[in-house]
């Protein structure tokens, strides 16, 4: 499991080819957070710059519906992007719950 100073990490919520996303708690104020990490142990300079730019852009967006970015922490040879946790589930999880027939069978489903 990942260890990041100042945070309790509880579960992996996404594992992609380039990033890992965890759900946890910020110890200083007990706020729920989502922590995004680059997957590679030694990311390239380009990956680091791109990740840092993602943080810089997101932290300046104060728009309803956009998840708030709290901080960019140093983590091993990379960064950890710390964001608010709204306890939402991913579209991938919803699709798995719906099954092979999708939402089309529900009253509020999508009809394609």
């Amino acid at each position: 499991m990942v260890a990041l100073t100042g945070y309790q990490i509880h579960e992996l919520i996404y594992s992609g080819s380039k990033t890992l996303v965890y759900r946890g708690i910020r110890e200083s104020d007990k706020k729920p957070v989502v922590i995004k990490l680059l997957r590679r142990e030694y990311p390239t300079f380009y990956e680091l710059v791109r990740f840092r730019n993602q943080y810089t852009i997101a932290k300046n967006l104060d728009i309803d519906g956009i998840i708030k970015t709290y901080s960019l922490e140093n983590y091993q040879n990379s960064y950890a992007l710390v964001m608010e946790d709204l306890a939402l589930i991913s579209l991938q999880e919803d699709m798995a719950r719906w099954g092979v027939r999708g939402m089309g069978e529900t009253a509020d489903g999508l009809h394609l």
Side-chain angles (χ1 to χ4, degrees):
M1 184 58 77
V2 172
L4 182 62
T5 303
Y7 298 89
Q8 296 174 14
I9 297 176
H10 297 294
E11 66 176 316
L12 177 68
I13 58 174
Y14 174 78
S15 178
S17 62
K18 295 184 182 191
T19 58
L20 300 167
V21 181
Y22 293 89
R23 181 169 277 142
I25 300 289
R26 185 167 54 188
E27 292 174 345
S28 63
D29 58 5
K30 305 299 184 218
K31 266 194 175 179
V33 294
V34 169
I35 300 168
K36 183 177 180 180
L37 304 171
L38 290 172
R39 189 180 220 7
R40 292 173 51 162
E41 185 177 352
Y42 295 99
T44 66
F45 176 75
Y46 174 75
E47 290 171 320
L48 292 170
V49 169
R50 187 172 169 191
F51 204 67
R52 188 168 183 85
N53 287 345
Q54 180 182 352
Y55 165 72
T56 302
I57 292 167
K59 79 172 181 166
N60 292 312
L61 295 177
D62 189 17
I63 302 170
D64 287 339
I66 302 290
I67 292 177
K68 306 289 185 266
T69 302
Y70 293 142
S71 64
L72 186 68
E73 308 282 346
N74 289 319
Y75 176 73
Q76 295 179 354
N77 303 306
S78 186
Y79 296 116
L81 180 58
V82 181
M83 302 168 279
E84 72 178 327
D85 183 4
L86 301 177
L88 302 172
I89 63 171
S90 71
L91 179 58
Q92 184 176 5
E93 288 175 302
D94 257 352
M95 290 172 60
R97 184 174 49 93
W98 298 331
V100 294
R101 303 210 59 178
M103 282 182 63
E105 297 298 310
T106 65
D108 60 343
L110 301 173
H111 301 283
L112 304 175

